[in-house]
Amino acid sequence: MARHKEHDAQVDPFTAGEPTLPWDEPGTFGGLFGGMEPEACVFDGSPYDGPTKKRDDYNAPSADVDDEGPRRGQRRSPSEARERKRQARAERDAARRAAKAAPKDKQGPSRLVKVARTIILVVILVNLLPALIYGASELFSALTSGEDFTEVVESETSSHDGSAPGPGIDMDSLDEDELACVQACNAYLQAVTSEQSPERAAIIDDFDQSMVEASGYTCEELGIDANAYADWVLSNFSYQIDSCYPRADEGTASLYLYAWGPDLIDMRAELHQSIYTYIAELDAGRTGSMRPLDESEQEHVRKLFAEAVENTELGSESFLGFQLTFEGGAWVLDIEQAQYQLDIPLGF
């Protein structure tokens, strides 16, 4: 086989001559065809009718010259690279100095911000100005009349600060509205202890329900007199009105009072635990339903109840607040709100 000892890398394949093929050299097929040489391919001179490339307007770009730099494949000299870095750094420094020297935007707040500030200021003044005027007039009146200023600016909020209650409200110093509110409150609290009061019925119902939840038995099934329990609670209930603040212009009033009574939370907790333990020892529910208790068992439950009552503290203090409204020319107590306040001292 023919071999080229030298290879020209710049040979143009479009202008190169015919290559020397293996079978063009003599003796190549000597061992394959028994000395017979293959026939050479001879063109008969007939015209070529195969595909041909049509001419177009494409001009290949030159790969030898770079308009903005050295020739491709060549590196810039070190001095040229340093010069380009120096120019770039100088441009950045100039831009930074220009930014610092530029005048700052000293434009004030927008019109919308100014309007919002004005509205807020007006709202504050509208709300505070009447109070300031009222306080100044009261102060001037107190100074000119010689009265004690601390009494004039007495707070209209709860006077309870956790300390012991005072002597109570002075009935002789009350004005017409204050007196009417105090009388309405007294009438309600005195009616609570009556036999037909809804508060008394609520005390009995709540106590009976608590016994069912604790033991599975009602008070009657346990042998406990729920009416006697209500009598004990109400007979140990007392109160003292502390202050009253009517607001005639609004038609509302607030009244505050201290209340004392048995510590029913601790009493019930002790009673429930003792009765529950006793019923569990009897195993009264072993058949799946609560069997009736006999007389001796009910007697034992009554003893547990008497012990719980005896161990109860009677001076448990609460501080309550009642609300009243002016309706039909009279001050009317909000009964539902008052009953909610009595929940702890009366236990319902």
Side-chain angles (χ1 to χ4, degrees), residues 193 229-239 259-262 309 313-316 345-346:
T193 60
Y229 167 79
D231 291 338
W232 171 71
V233 172
L234 292 174
S235 64
N236 288 281
F237 173 74
S238 61
Y239 68 92
W260 296 272
V309 170
E313 177 189 352
L314 299 180
S316 179
L346 296 182

Side-chain angles (χ1 to χ4, degrees), residues 175-188:
D175 60 22
E176 182 179 356
D177 290 327
E178 293 171 343
L179 183 60
C181 292
V182 171
Q183 290 175 344
C185 178
N186 280 327
Y188 166 73

Side-chain angles (χ1 to χ4, degrees), residues 136-150:
S137 62
E138 291 291 338
L139 176 60
F140 179 76
S141 176
L143 293 175
T144 54
S145 62
E147 298 178 357
D148 186 2
F149 178 66
T150 58

Side-chain angles (χ1 to χ4, degrees), residues 13-282:
F14 295 99
T15 59
E18 292 293 332
T20 303
L21 301 177
W23 53 79
D24 292 337
E25 298 184 9
T28 300
F29 299 97
L32 296 177
F33 302 100
M36 298 177 60
E37 294 289 340
E39 295 182 0
C41 180
V42 179
F43 293 97
D44 56 0
S46 59
Y48 174 75
D49 58 356
T52 58
K53 180 180 181 303
K54 297 182 179 180
R55 294 185 59 84
D56 51 33
D57 296 333
Y58 175 74
N59 294 320
S62 175
D64 297 334
V65 180
D66 188 355
D67 294 338
E68 298 184 0
R71 296 176 62 84
R72 182 170 299 178
Q74 295 182 359
R75 297 183 178 178
R76 293 186 175 90
S77 63
S79 60
E80 185 177 351
R82 287 194 297 270
E83 179 62 21
R84 290 182 63 85
K85 290 182 179 180
R86 188 192 64 77
Q87 293 179 358
R89 186 165 51 251
E91 292 176 358
R92 289 195 299 269
D93 293 342
R96 190 179 300 111
R97 288 193 298 270
K100 290 183 178 180
K104 298 294 187 293
D105 185 9
K106 297 183 178 180
Q107 184 178 1
S110 63
R111 180 180 180 84
L112 180 61
V113 174
K114 293 180 180 179
V115 172
R117 290 177 179 175
T118 304
I119 294 175
I120 294 173
L121 182 60
V122 170
V123 171
I124 294 174
L125 290 177
V126 168
N127 286 274
L128 293 182
L129 192 58
L132 294 175
I133 295 175
Y134 176 78
S137 62
E138 291 291 338
L139 176 60
F140 179 76
S141 176
L143 293 175
T144 54
S145 62
E147 298 178 357
D148 186 2
F149 178 66
T150 58
E151 296 180 358
V152 176
V153 295
E154 180 181 2
S155 173
E156 290 192 3
T157 59
S158 168
S159 61
H160 179 58
D161 57 0
S163 59
I169 196 166
D170 184 5
M171 299 292 292
D172 296 333
S173 64
L174 302 180
D175 60 22
E176 182 179 356
D177 290 327
E178 293 171 343
L179 183 60
C181 292
V182 171
Q183 290 175 344
C185 178
N186 280 327
Y188 166 73
L189 291 175
Q190 292 171 6
V192 166
T193 60
S194 67
E195 290 288 339
Q196 295 77 26
S197 71
E199 291 77 15
R200 180 187 179 87
I203 293 173
I204 295 174
D205 292 341
D206 189 80
F207 182 64
D208 189 64
Q209 183 62 32
S210 70
M211 289 294 102
V212 174
E213 295 174 355
S215 65
Y217 292 94
T218 64
C219 289
E220 183 179 359
E221 294 169 341
L222 290 170
I224 298 176
D225 188 354
N227 286 287
Y229 167 79
D231 291 338
W232 171 71
V233 172
L234 292 174
S235 64
N236 288 281
F237 173 74
S238 61
Y239 68 92
Q240 174 183 295
I241 297 177
D242 179 73
S243 55
C244 180
Y245 303 104
R247 295 173 290 275
D249 55 338
E250 299 179 7
T252 60
S254 300
L255 184 144
Y256 300 96
L257 66 151
Y258 290 90
W260 296 272
D263 189 350
L264 299 178
I265 296 178
D266 288 347
M267 180 268 181
R268 287 191 181 187
E270 178 184 346
L271 180 61
H272 292 169
Q273 182 61 40
S274 60
I275 292 179
Y276 174 81
T277 302
Y278 177 66
I279 297 298
E281 292 174 353
L282 293 177

